[in-house]
Amino acid sequence: MKKKVCMCLVMCVGALASAAYEGAVLFSDSYDRPNNTNISASTVGMSGLLAPLTYVEAFEGSGQPTSIQILNNQLNVAVGPGMSSLFLDYNLIDEAILAADGFSVSLEVVRIQVADDEANRFGGFGVGNTRAEALAARDSQDHVAPLRPTTGRANQGVGVSDFYVDLALDNNLRLWSNGNLLETIPVGVNSGTIHVDFYVTDFNAGSVAAAAVYFNGVYLSMQKFAWDNTDANYLAFSGRTPGEGVFLDNLRIATFYENRAHQPVPADGAIDVNPAEVVLQWNKGKDAQGNPNSAIAQHYLYMIDGEPNFVGVSPIVVPDTEDPVQYHPALSLNDTDKIYFWRVDESVRVNGIPTAPDDPNTITGFVWSFETIKSVPIITSQPTNVLTEVGQTTEFSVSVTSLSPASYHWYKTTDKTIDTPDDDVLAGQDEVLVIAPVQAADEGYYYCKVINASGEQNAAYSTVVKLGVKRQVAHWTLDWADYVDG
């Protein structure tokens, strides 16, 4: 399903959606300064509210100082065999980011030296690193802590960046989270500008952030990831290729204002949503000053279940209001077991007239989704094995989520399976099976079948568990008087 969603995002909004309005430029670097192996020796080319900043050259794979350098007004990394990594010595958790809708990072990959193993000749950047992680980042061949692992190697999945994006020589953009490959996107070239808008609510460990990825100004993908650590967001870079290395240029870090509908409710990707209670909600796009866009005249809501493809779907016109804008779709309890995809485009006034749905001035939104609650019963907590003694009380239990009332059918079986009814004996019909007092004959295997209004054909079965009963099976006194015939 995820692949289908990503494909739809490219088709539906790739050509129209643009990156958010830039707020404040926190840091930018054109690298237009004299050649030097110490890339922070001069601050010429640096600008922004945080400038100047210092780069830490964490790993120079060739072992030579020229592995990372300023060369011909560009940042030249991974010169010589192996990989190089570096980072900005600044924790990017500013209040300005939280006050805005997030922050963006853009970086131009100018050239990657032609070589073999094209998927592993790349340049890119990662966020969410602790300083220690960024400092320890090494080539993935070392089986330590790369920013992004080497594809096809045994240590795939090893990586420290909470989110990493790179452009490789094989003309693919790759998105990673903690070393796990999220998506490979063919872009047809191996040079160009990577731009990512990071939607951030806080920098607490476990909090989910989102990344909207663009290449050469074209929207490609939306991915979610979680911060691994609290208040840890060092921006790190790496490149990998032998010989002349990877040439990077025009780094830019800025806050942004979302110019499209945002903050959807239900949240994008929400599950177990009661369809009868759904009220769609969103905040409208902002203008270049960070205020709700006063030019928005109305909203075009597209909604469909099953497939994220809005071709031929007529939009619902929703009047513009103060934030949040709301719409109550005609859903009921009959709309369970579905995935709904929805998108909000925003009509703006041109010469006082609202733009039409297909007008290029209409602001195209992102595709969101939510999943309605299952009509079938779902077992959320399984019973566990029990070892007890004769005369004791013991119990087995399950926890179930069910839209309609559920019935419970506990069975005792002798062969540890749920699909041989001839040897199954009904043992109880409550959510908790209580056996008291336990007898030796109670020893055996047990499972629960849960049925709700969706019918027995949709019954949920628990795992099969064992009740063991401790009892004496043999006794030797080792007294001579008890021996018979020796």
Side-chain angles (χ1 to χ4, degrees):
M1 184 63 70
K2 181 181 292 185
K3 291 182 180 178
K4 293 179 181 177
V5 173
C6 294
M7 290 172 61
C8 176
L9 289 175
V10 174
M11 292 187 294
C12 293
V13 300
L16 298 178
S18 59
Y21 287 118
E22 188 174 276
V25 177
L26 300 178
F27 179 76
S28 68
D29 198 343
S30 67
Y31 306 108
D32 292 343
R33 46 187 177 268
N35 294 351
N36 202 313
T37 57
N38 179 359
I39 62 176
S40 302
S42 169
T43 61
V44 174
M46 297 183 187
S47 61
L49 298 177
L50 303 179
L53 292 179
T54 300
Y55 292 88
V56 176
E57 301 175 29
F59 179 65
E60 297 180 301
S62 68
Q64 302 297 319
T66 53
S67 182
I68 301 174
Q69 60 182 332
I70 299 295
L71 182 65
N72 299 327
N73 294 331
Q74 294 173 348
L75 176 60
N76 187 207
V77 301
V79 180
M83 164 188 155
S84 296
S85 67
L86 61 153
F87 64 94
L88 281 173
D89 202 6
Y90 183 82
N91 196 8
L92 200 63
I93 56 172
D94 302 77
E95 284 297 324
I97 292 173
L98 299 180
D101 296 315
F103 69 102
S104 66
V105 179
S106 59
L107 181 69
E108 182 183 356
V109 179
V110 179
R111 180 166 62 90
I112 307 170
Q113 181 195 2
V114 176
D116 60 356
D117 195 17
E118 293 184 342
N120 292 311
R121 313 306 183 190
F122 62 86
F125 61 85
V127 299
N129 306 285
T130 66
R131 192 179 191 279
E133 286 174 336
L135 191 61
R138 297 290 183 270
D139 193 334
S140 56
Q141 292 184 85
D142 295 338
H143 297 272
V144 284
L147 300 173
R148 170 271 217 209
T150 304
T151 60
R153 299 293 175 87
N155 63 330
Q156 179 79 352
V158 177
V160 296
S161 292
D162 294 349
F163 184 88
Y164 186 92
V165 55
D166 68 84
L167 178 63
L169 196 58
D170 65 353
N171 299 335
N172 285 310
L173 203 69
R174 288 181 173 84
L175 314 179
W176 310 77
S177 181
N178 291 304
N180 296 304
L181 183 61
L182 300 176
E183 189 176 4
T184 299
I185 307 173
V187 292
V189 294
N190 51 52
S191 63
T193 298
I194 304 169
H195 177 102
V196 183
D197 286 338
F198 294 99
Y199 296 82
V200 178
T201 56
D202 59 56
F203 291 100
N204 296 323
S207 292
V208 176
V213 180
Y214 303 79
F215 183 69
N216 285 339
V218 176
Y219 171 75
L220 297 180
S221 179
M222 173 71 84
Q223 294 287 345
K224 294 180 180 178
F225 64 96
W227 302 116
D228 271 3
N229 301 278
T230 296
D231 293 341
N233 188 29
Y234 282 82
L235 177 64
F237 314 85
S238 63
R240 189 174 189 273
T241 190
E244 296 178 21
V246 179
F247 289 83
L248 306 174
D249 207 351
N250 298 319
L251 169 67
R252 193 174 186 87
I253 308 169
T255 60
F256 66 77
Y257 302 117
E258 183 49 71
N259 63 339
R260 283 160 291 191
H262 58 288
Q263 296 185 355
V265 177
D268 185 27
I271 60 175
D272 293 334
V273 176
N274 187 334
E277 299 176 356
V278 169
V279 176
L280 301 180
Q281 177 177 298
W282 62 91
N283 283 1
K284 54 190 175 183
K286 298 181 179 180
D287 59 23
Q289 288 70 48
N291 302 311
N293 189 351
S294 60
I296 293 175
Q298 56 194 13
H299 306 262
Y300 298 128
L301 169 64
Y302 297 84
M303 188 173 179
I304 192 170
D305 70 277
E307 288 292 334
N309 190 337
F310 302 110
V311 176
V313 177
S314 298
I316 298 167
V317 179
V318 180
D320 185 52
T321 65
E322 297 296 321
D323 282 339
V325 182
Q326 294 184 341
Y327 177 78
H328 198 306
L331 301 183
S332 69
L333 286 178
N334 294 323
D335 296 305
T336 58
D337 308 294
K338 293 182 178 180
I339 299 178
Y340 283 95
F341 297 90
W342 58 299
R343 190 184 87 206
V344 176
D345 296 351
E346 295 180 314
S347 168
V348 296
R349 296 180 185 86
V350 176
N351 297 323
I353 301 174
T355 54
D358 57 354
D359 191 303
N361 292 299
T362 295
I363 303 169
T364 307
F366 286 122
V367 176
W368 299 315
S369 69
F370 64 89
E371 186 173 348
T372 58
I373 195 169
K374 299 291 186 184
S375 60
V376 298
I378 305 294
I379 296 177
T380 57
S381 176
Q382 298 284 357
T384 57
N385 295 328
V386 173
L387 178 62
T388 187
E389 297 180 348
V390 171
Q392 298 295 311
T393 297
T394 191
E395 61 184 42
F396 295 111
S397 65
V398 293
S399 296
V400 175
T401 59
S402 175
L403 193 60
S404 57
S407 61
Y408 303 85
H409 308 267
W410 288 95
Y411 291 93
K412 181 186 176 188
T413 178
T414 60
D415 57 5
K416 202 179 179 180
T417 63
I418 63 172
D419 55 0
T420 55
D422 290 343
D423 70 333
D424 297 348
V425 178
L426 184 65
Q429 292 183 283
D430 296 317
E431 185 174 358
V432 178
L433 174 64
V434 179
I435 303 174
V438 172
Q439 303 297 322
D442 294 321
E443 186 170 74
Y445 298 100
Y446 293 81
Y447 69 88
C448 185
K449 179 170 73 172
V450 183
I451 304 172
N452 71 359
S454 64
E456 186 166 353
Q457 69 274 15
N458 294 316
Y461 291 84
S462 75
T463 55
V464 180
V465 290
K466 184 176 183 179
L467 172 61
V469 181
K470 294 187 287 185
R471 61 193 183 277
Q472 181 173 292
V473 294
H475 178 220
W476 291 271
T477 67
L478 302 182
D479 293 338
W480 183 254
D482 295 325
Y483 279 75
V484 178
D485 295 332

